[in-house]
Amino acid sequence: MASIRRTLSPLYHDRPFDNGGAPFSPSSISSRTSKHNSSQFLSFLTATTDPKPSRRGPWRRPFYQFLAFFLIGFLLGMTPFGQIDDVNGTDRSNFEIKPPNNVKREEVGVSFVEEKKKEDFDLAVPRKLVIVVTPTYNRAMQGYYLNRVAQTLRLVEPPVLWIVVEGNAASFETSEILRKTGVMYRHLVCKRNMTSIKDRGVHQRNTALEHIELHKLDGIVYFADDDNVYSLELFQSLREIRRFGTWPVAMLAPSKNKAILEGPVCNGSQVIGWHTNEKSKRLRRFHVDMSGFAFNSTILWDPKRWKRPFTHPTRQLDTVREGFQQETTFIEQVVADESDMEGVPSACSRILNWHLHLDALDVPYPQGWVMQKNLEAVITVR
């Protein structure tokens, strides 16, 4: 049987169905469905693999989250944890963190704020210069005395200026001692003839006063003889003096079997009387030892500031009797009466220096501080 082969009809591109199929046949419907699904799949792949970024990228949301957490952390870091008190009531820049309730104040000690304020005060107000005047001369105990005073001055908080005055010429031994002390010093020489003077220290102290007046040194002047014994507290207290300060001195009696007290009787810092005896009461106005007072150096070169009645320079007098009128005649040039004096320390209740008079008169002066060998034989130890 001959077979009849039907030719395919030409392809019409404008028809929505395939060649040979009806518009609403099952084959055409399934074909359309498959084409629609494949087009959706291709569009999905195109969207996910498109390299062009969108205008609203995925980075904005993490960025805003990071910014929010950063601001929260910054605010928490700036917030103080603990109880804060206003220290002075008006000063809002100083803070003190209170300790827990179960910790006592004594266990915590001085707060950081108090220590900081104290340090700032020490740095803001410079210490007053202490000018120590020491007359000296060649004798057997000179090296011992000068070294003893130097070791005390080394412990005093600076600034300290030690003015050492010798007579006629500066000795090599004294210069060597001063160079090794570590204390700021000035080595002066008194050119006055002191052969006929009982107290050579008068002109030596005047030489130091002239030096202070010439260079206008601003500080507290203290006459510290090399044979006295001084406490460290004395030099620390000198900076509290405004014009003229005085304190009691313990002195060894001529019999050297007891000590006597000489100096002021104080009510707080006010001088209300003097320690004295009947003999000195008749001969002295101010019963104080030469090492028992100190004064402001501006009295020497700025008398108008203190309204001093004297026009001549403030100096010690060598025409008065030693040990009775020297201190009085000098103090009368500095103050009018006890109302211008200050008791040091408060109430004058402690002895800060001692005047002993223990010099060895018959011992020769060792040249160069070197003792000659006095042994005739040396015995070796077996």
Side-chain angles (χ1 to χ4, degrees):
M1 180 177 178
S3 62
I4 301 174
R5 187 174 181 179
R6 185 181 180 182
T7 59
L8 296 176
S9 59
L11 180 63
Y12 296 93
H13 297 281
D14 56 343
R15 296 180 182 180
F17 47 87
D18 294 336
N19 188 21
F24 299 99
S25 63
S27 61
S28 63
I29 294 175
S30 61
S31 175
R32 292 174 60 186
T33 302
S34 62
K35 287 184 177 180
H36 178 70
N37 292 337
S38 62
S39 63
Q40 288 184 346
F41 177 74
L42 292 175
S43 63
F44 172 75
L45 291 178
T46 305
T48 55
T49 58
D50 189 8
K52 297 182 180 179
S54 63
R55 294 182 179 180
R56 296 181 177 271
W59 55 270
R60 288 198 173 189
R61 183 176 180 182
F63 173 75
Y64 289 130
Q65 291 178 349
F66 170 77
L67 183 61
F69 283 117
F70 175 77
L71 293 177
I72 294 174
F74 179 77
L75 294 176
L76 291 177
M78 295 298 294
T79 303
F81 293 92
Q83 299 180 2
I84 302 177
D85 286 349
D86 192 349
V87 179
N88 296 326
T90 57
D91 189 0
R92 302 292 181 180
S93 61
N94 295 329
F95 298 97
E96 179 181 1
I97 300 179
K98 284 187 175 181
N101 296 330
N102 58 349
V103 180
K104 295 182 180 180
R105 178 68 177 176
E106 291 77 11
E107 296 178 358
V108 176
V110 182
S111 65
F112 173 77
V113 176
E114 295 173 354
E115 293 179 354
K116 184 65 176 176
K117 289 179 64 178
K118 184 177 180 181
E119 293 176 0
D120 294 342
F121 177 79
D122 293 341
L123 294 176
V125 181
R127 299 188 186 98
K128 197 73 173 177
L129 173 66
V130 177
I131 307 172
V132 182
V133 177
T134 301
T136 186
Y137 62 96
N138 297 338
R139 61 195 189 279
M141 304 293 289
Q142 182 187 15
Y144 165 71
Y145 290 148
L146 289 177
N147 276 291
R148 185 174 62 183
V149 177
Q151 295 303 318
T152 304
L153 295 180
R154 288 184 64 180
L155 301 177
V156 182
E157 295 181 352
V160 177
L161 176 61
W162 191 18
I163 301 180
V164 179
V165 186
E166 285 194 288
N168 300 325
S171 64
F172 171 78
E173 292 80 9
T174 302
S175 301
E176 283 293 308
I177 291 176
L178 295 178
R179 278 194 291 266
K180 296 177 181 179
T181 56
V183 180
M184 182 172 61
Y185 72 92
R186 295 185 183 181
H187 192 184
L188 305 182
V189 177
C190 180
K191 299 296 185 180
R192 294 288 299 270
N193 185 9
M194 296 179 290
T195 55
S196 61
I197 300 176
K198 293 183 178 180
D199 186 5
R200 70 187 75 195
V202 172
H203 291 297
Q204 291 175 313
R205 297 187 191 99
N206 286 339
T207 300
L209 294 177
E210 293 173 0
H211 182 83
I212 296 171
E213 182 178 353
L214 176 63
H215 296 280
K216 290 182 171 55
L217 302 180
D218 189 1
I220 303 298
V221 181
Y222 176 50
F223 298 127
D225 292 345
D226 57 1
D227 58 345
N228 291 356
V229 180
Y230 306 96
S231 65
L232 183 62
E233 183 182 359
L234 171 62
F235 296 98
Q236 304 288 13
S237 302
L238 295 181
R239 293 190 172 95
E240 302 175 3
I241 297 174
R242 179 178 176 269
R243 176 172 182 170
F244 183 93
T246 182
W247 54 89
V249 179
M251 305 179 63
L252 194 63
S255 60
K256 297 184 180 181
N257 58 4
K258 64 177 181 179
I260 58 177
L261 193 63
E262 187 176 36
V265 178
C266 303
N267 181 14
S269 60
Q270 182 182 5
V271 178
I272 60 175
W274 301 92
H275 294 284
T276 184
N277 52 47
E278 291 297 328
K279 183 179 180 180
S280 62
K281 182 179 180 180
R282 297 189 300 268
L283 300 174
R284 304 175 68 177
R285 168 67 178 85
F286 301 110
H287 306 271
V288 59
D289 185 71
M290 187 62 69
S291 62
F293 67 90
F295 60 95
N296 197 310
S297 65
T298 56
I299 295 176
L300 302 175
W301 49 269
D302 191 9
K304 294 182 180 179
R305 173 183 174 184
W306 304 100
K307 300 179 181 180
R308 285 179 51 232
F310 301 100
T311 57
H312 57 80
T314 303
R315 301 290 186 269
Q316 290 189 5
L317 305 179
D318 59 348
T319 57
V320 296
R321 188 177 176 182
E322 178 186 2
F324 289 93
Q325 293 293 332
Q326 279 183 11
E327 294 85 356
T328 295
T329 55
F330 180 80
I331 294 174
E332 287 175 344
Q333 302 175 61
V334 179
V335 296
D337 51 28
E338 285 81 358
S339 62
D340 295 333
M341 299 182 179
E342 310 160 39
V344 179
S346 181
C348 302
S349 57
R350 295 190 299 277
I351 303 299
L352 301 181
N353 67 301
W354 295 262
H355 197 173
L356 301 180
H357 300 287
L358 298 178
D359 226 348
L361 301 178
D362 298 332
V363 179
Y365 173 70
Q367 296 293 332
W369 304 116
V370 178
M371 304 301 296
Q372 299 296 328
K373 295 181 179 180
N374 58 355
L375 297 178
E376 297 179 356
V378 177
I379 303 176
T380 58
V381 179
R382 297 180 179 177

